[in-house]
């Protein structure tokens, strides 16, 4: 006698139970089943089918809930973050308030007063690629100036490394020598000291 087959996976189990329920009546006499026996086995199949379908329904609901959560965090959460950033510019805002609301973190082990950003710069695919390490900061504020210049111009707030960007040369075909530096940013505020200056000749 061959070993009795009973599927394990939900997909196979559902098809198997539906097939068994549909066809067991054909062989009821062969098996010497009473009408009560047949009805009981059909009930078993119905229970299996309902339970498998319930799992499928719950999976769909779960996936839908996860997608809704992700969208909510991205939209409403993003709006709330923007509002919180605005609240922190209020004249009477203090770190105590921020800690009480849970909108800032406190870690005495991190000395942001002496924080120094670390960046690198290179040409990559016709763009300037800036790499950096957060080192517990939220990101960096990137600045640049022409080699030999005095004033630093703000480029962007960057929260993800690497950062690639391009710009139009003042004279087409004439490479430009640029210097870059950055400050760490924590809670929308620059902290510590500027990074070491890195250089790139762009447009070559």
């Amino acid at each position: 006698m061959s070993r009795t087959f009973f599927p394990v996976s939900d997909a196979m189990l559902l098809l198997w139970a539906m097939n068994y329920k549909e066809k067991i009546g054909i062989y009821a006499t062969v098996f010497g089943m009473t009408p009560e026996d047949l009805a009981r086995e059909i009930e078993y199949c119905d229970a299996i089918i309902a339970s498998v379908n319930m799992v499928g329904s719950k999976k769909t609901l779960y996936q839908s809930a996860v997608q809704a959560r992700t969208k909510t965090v991205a939209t409403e959460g993003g709006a709330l973050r923007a509002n919180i950033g605005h609240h922190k510019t209020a004249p009477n805002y203090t770190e105590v308030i921020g800690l009480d609301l849970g909108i800032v973190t406190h870690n005495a082990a991190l000395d942001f007063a002496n924080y120094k950003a670390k960046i690198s710069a290179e040409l990559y695919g016709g763009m300037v690629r800036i790499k950096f390490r957060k080192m517990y900061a939220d990101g960096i504020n990137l600045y640049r100036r022409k080699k030999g210049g005095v004033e630093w111009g703000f480029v962007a707030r960057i929260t993800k490394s690497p950062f690639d960007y391009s710009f139009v040369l003042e004279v087409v075909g004439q490479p430009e020598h640029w210097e870059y530096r950055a400050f760490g940013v924590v809670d929308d505020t620059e902290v510590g000291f500027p990074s070491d200056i890195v250089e790139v000749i762009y447009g070559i």
Side-chain angles (χ1 to χ4, degrees), residues 100-164:
D100 192 39
L101 288 174
I103 58 176
V104 297
T105 58
H106 177 69
N107 190 334
L110 300 179
D111 183 11
F112 286 119
N114 294 308
Y115 183 94
K116 183 176 181 179
K118 297 182 183 297
I119 67 171
S120 65
E122 62 180 347
L123 291 179
Y124 182 84
M127 296 183 290
V128 176
R129 167 162 284 189
I130 302 295
K131 295 181 180 179
F132 67 95
R133 295 172 54 199
K134 286 187 176 180
M135 300 184 296
Y136 301 104
D138 299 327
I140 61 172
N141 278 349
L142 181 67
Y143 297 85
R144 71 171 186 166
R145 70 181 179 187
K146 279 281 189 67
K147 178 68 173 181
V150 177
E151 298 295 327
W152 290 94
F154 178 72
V155 176
R157 167 75 58 82
I158 310 172
T159 58
K160 184 178 180 181
S161 180
F163 170 72
D164 297 330

Side-chain angles (χ1 to χ4, degrees), residues 1-199:
M1 179 182 294
S2 61
R3 186 174 63 177
T4 299
F5 172 73
F6 201 90
V8 176
S9 71
D10 285 350
M12 292 185 62
L13 182 58
L14 181 61
L15 294 174
W16 179 90
M18 293 173 65
N19 179 73
Y20 190 93
K21 174 185 176 180
E22 179 183 350
K23 297 178 179 177
I24 184 59
I26 299 174
Y27 305 104
T29 302
V30 175
F31 297 149
M33 300 171 66
T34 66
E36 290 76 15
D37 294 335
L38 177 61
R40 190 176 301 110
E41 290 201 359
I42 290 176
E43 288 178 0
Y44 295 158
C45 290
D46 284 338
I48 291 172
I49 293 169
S51 65
V52 174
N53 283 334
M54 178 64 73
V55 170
S57 175
K58 293 298 184 182
K59 284 182 178 179
T60 300
L61 288 174
Y62 173 75
Q63 293 170 351
S64 178
V66 170
Q67 292 174 353
R69 185 277 312 275
T70 301
K71 181 179 179 180
T72 298
V73 171
T75 54
E76 280 76 1
L80 184 57
R81 284 173 61 89
N83 287 350
I84 290 172
H86 178 70
H87 296 333
K88 289 162 68 177
T89 66
N92 295 322
Y93 170 80
T94 66
E95 287 294 298
V96 173
I97 295 174
L99 288 169
D100 192 39
L101 288 174
I103 58 176
V104 297
T105 58
H106 177 69
N107 190 334
L110 300 179
D111 183 11
F112 286 119
N114 294 308
Y115 183 94
K116 183 176 181 179
K118 297 182 183 297
I119 67 171
S120 65
E122 62 180 347
L123 291 179
Y124 182 84
M127 296 183 290
V128 176
R129 167 162 284 189
I130 302 295
K131 295 181 180 179
F132 67 95
R133 295 172 54 199
K134 286 187 176 180
M135 300 184 296
Y136 301 104
D138 299 327
I140 61 172
N141 278 349
L142 181 67
Y143 297 85
R144 71 171 186 166
R145 70 181 179 187
K146 279 281 189 67
K147 178 68 173 181
V150 177
E151 298 295 327
W152 290 94
F154 178 72
V155 176
R157 167 75 58 82
I158 310 172
T159 58
K160 184 178 180 181
S161 180
F163 170 72
D164 297 330
Y165 79 105
S166 60
F167 53 92
V168 179
L169 295 170
E170 291 182 2
V171 178
V172 177
Q174 181 174 314
E176 298 174 357
H177 194 163
W178 286 90
E179 298 178 320
Y180 298 87
R181 75 175 185 181
F183 283 87
V185 175
V186 177
D187 294 331
D188 298 323
T189 302
E190 291 185 353
V191 296
F193 301 97
S195 69
D196 292 336
I197 296 173
V198 296
E199 303 180 17

